[in-house]
Amino acid sequence: MNDLLKSHLMVLLATFFIAGSFLASARLAGVINPFSLTLMRFVASFVLLLPLVLSRRDWRRKIVTVLPRATVISFFYAMFFACLFEALKTTTSLNTGTLYTLVPFMTALLCLVFLRQPIGGQTFLIYILGAASACWVIFEGQLDRLLAFSLNQGDWLFLGGSLLICGYSLSMKLLYRRSDPMPVLVFCILFTGALWMGTALLVLGYPLDWHNIHGEHLAAMSYLVVASTLMTVYLYQRSTVVLGPRRVMAYIYLNPAAIAVLLWWFEGVKIPTIVLPGIVACSLATVLLQREPRS
C-alpha cells in the first residue's frame, strides 16, 4: 500500500472517529454540566499522554516554551467542546455534525479578514457547495424553514461553538511553531484547556458531579478520550505530512455521511430521504477538494 492511499485511509478513519464523537457527546449531554464534562475529557486525555511526553528529554524541555501559546489556543478548543455538550441537549448529533462542515468556509473567511489570505475562486465555490449542502440537511430540504431561518436553540449555540473552533484554527496558524513536537503541543493544549474549564467551574460555582459518569456514560467518555482525542491526533498528524492540511480538512465534509452511517449501524436510526441529497453533496465537496494541489 503506497503512502498516499494509506494517508487517505488514515484520515478517513479519523473522520469516522470524529463523527462518533458527536454520538458519544449526545449520550453525555445533560448528565453533568458541559464545563465539568469537558474538564473530565481533557484531564483523562493529558494523563494518558503524560508518560509519552515525559519519555523524551527534548520534549520535556519544550513544555515550558509551548505552554504559554497553548494557553491561548486551548481557550477556543475547550470552549468549543463545552458548547457542543450544551448544544446537544436541544439538538441532534446529525445537526451538529452538519453544522461542523461550515467550519472550513468560516475559517477561510476569517483568514481573509484577519490574515489577508485569499480564497481561490474554485475553492470558494466548493465551500459554497459544502455550506449549501449543510443547510439542506439542517433544514431538511424545506425552503420555508430556510427562509424563516428556524434553527433551534442548540443549533444556534453550536454555530457559536463553530466560530470558536475557527478561532482555534486561526490561533494555531498564528502561534504554532514548526519546532513544536505535536505530542507536546497536544499535551499542553489539553492541560491548559483543563485549567480553563476548572476556572469556569470555580467562577460559576458548578459541581464536578463526576460520580454520575458510569456504565454507558463512562464508555462514551472513554471513547472521547481515546478515539476522538488521542487517536485522531496521531492519524491527522501522519496523514497531514503526506496530503497537506487543506486536503485533510476537506474530509470534514464527510461528517454528515459518517454520522448517518453510524446512527443507522449502531442505533437503527433512519435518515429522512429528503436530506440524502445534501449528504451526498457534502461528500462531493470532499472529493473536489482532493483535486487541489498540496500546500
Side-chain angles (χ1 to χ4, degrees):
M1 184 183 299
N2 61 50
D3 287 343
L4 187 62
L5 177 58
K6 183 178 179 181
S7 297
H8 278 294
L9 291 176
M10 290 174 71
V11 72
L12 183 62
L13 178 60
T15 300
F16 273 89
F17 281 154
I18 293 296
S21 72
F22 287 95
L23 275 66
S25 297
R27 297 197 174 199
L28 291 166
V31 178
I32 56 179
N33 71 80
F35 297 107
S36 186
L37 278 171
T38 307
L39 175 61
M40 186 178 190
R41 176 180 184 174
F42 283 4
V43 168
S45 297
F46 82 70
V47 167
L48 289 176
L49 199 56
L50 182 61
L52 176 63
V53 173
L54 296 181
S55 66
R56 292 180 50 168
R57 185 178 181 183
D58 56 331
W59 286 1
R60 295 197 299 269
R61 289 180 174 179
K62 277 289 184 179
I63 292 177
V64 176
T65 58
V66 173
L67 208 58
R69 289 178 279 117
T71 302
V72 178
I73 297 170
S74 67
F75 172 78
F76 298 101
Y77 190 61
M79 289 302 298
F80 164 76
F81 286 111
C83 286
L84 171 62
F85 285 127
E86 186 65 23
L88 283 168
K89 293 180 181 179
T90 52
T91 190
T92 66
S93 55
L94 181 60
N95 274 27
T96 52
T98 305
L99 281 172
Y100 192 62
T101 63
L102 300 177
V103 169
F105 182 46
M106 293 190 294
T107 302
L109 291 178
L110 290 176
C111 286
L112 177 64
V113 173
F114 293 105
L115 302 180
R116 297 294 187 267
Q117 292 184 355
I119 309 172
Q122 180 180 340
T123 303
F124 181 77
L125 291 177
I126 297 173
Y127 284 155
I128 292 296
L129 170 64
S133 304
C135 289
W136 181 276
V137 176
I138 291 295
F139 297 111
E140 298 182 346
Q142 298 179 28
L143 183 60
D144 56 337
R145 285 186 58 193
L146 176 60
L147 294 176
F149 210 59
S150 56
L151 293 176
N152 63 44
Q153 182 181 352
D155 292 335
W156 279 110
L157 182 58
F158 187 74
L159 196 57
S162 297
L163 287 174
L164 287 168
I165 208 67
C166 292
Y168 163 75
S169 297
L170 284 175
S171 62
M172 281 287 286
K173 287 178 181 289
L174 293 170
L175 300 176
Y176 172 70
R177 304 291 182 266
R178 290 186 180 274
S179 59
D180 295 340
M182 187 57 67
V184 176
L185 178 61
V186 173
F187 170 80
C188 290
I189 289 174
L190 293 170
F191 177 73
T192 54
L195 294 180
W196 281 117
M197 293 297 95
T199 302
L201 287 173
L202 289 175
V203 171
L204 298 173
Y206 290 161
L208 277 178
D209 285 338
W210 285 0
H211 61 276
N212 291 331
I213 304 296
H214 52 79
E216 68 172 14
H217 298 141
L218 185 59
M221 179 58 71
S222 299
Y223 176 88
L224 292 177
V225 171
V226 177
S228 70
T229 301
L230 300 179
M231 291 185 67
T232 52
V233 167
Y234 169 78
L235 293 170
Y236 279 138
Q237 180 187 10
R238 290 292 301 274
S239 57
T240 299
V241 172
V242 177
L243 300 177
R246 191 185 294 270
R247 285 185 176 184
V248 170
M249 179 173 279
Y251 273 86
I252 198 173
Y253 290 111
L254 288 182
N255 251 7
I259 291 175
V261 169
L262 294 177
L263 283 171
W264 169 75
W265 185 266
F266 291 104
E267 300 183 11
V269 176
K270 292 184 177 180
I271 305 301
T273 305
I274 189 66
V275 307
L276 293 180
I279 291 176
V280 171
C282 278
S283 304
L284 178 61
T286 296
V287 176
L288 292 174
L289 286 172
Q290 297 306 310
R291 301 176 62 185
E292 293 202 332
R294 286 193 305 162
S295 58

